[in-house]
Amino acid sequence: MSVASPCIDVCKMDPRTGLCEGCTRTIDEITAWSRIGDDEKRAILARVAEREAALDVFEPGDR
């Protein structure tokens, strides 16, 4: 089974962070997703989890 995309159909790039407001990926990660292997996808998901944890430190209005 291949690694599922973290996309939640909230595709809006935050100009301050350079991250998608829905899935917390960079534009490069989003565009590469369909061309990369599962190991690379898991690495992206690990970075996404780290970003989400770091962003949760801030209040919702701070992002």
Side-chain angles (χ1 to χ4, degrees):
M1 183 174 178
S2 67
V3 177
S5 170
C7 180
I8 60 168
D9 294 324
V10 178
C11 304
K12 181 178 177 190
M13 298 306 289
D14 184 324
R16 293 174 295 160
T17 65
L19 302 173
C20 174
E21 291 181 7
C23 66
T24 324
R25 291 182 291 171
T26 66
I27 194 70
D28 290 338
E29 292 168 342
I30 293 167
T31 58
W33 191 264
S34 64
R35 298 184 315 270
I36 60 176
D38 286 348
D39 288 342
E40 293 167 285
K41 289 177 181 178
R42 282 189 276 277
I44 290 172
L45 292 177
R47 289 192 297 270
V48 165
E50 291 171 0
R51 291 175 192 144
E52 289 175 345
L55 290 171
D56 282 344
V57 171
F58 302 103
E59 294 296 317
D62 292 344
R63 284 203 238 179

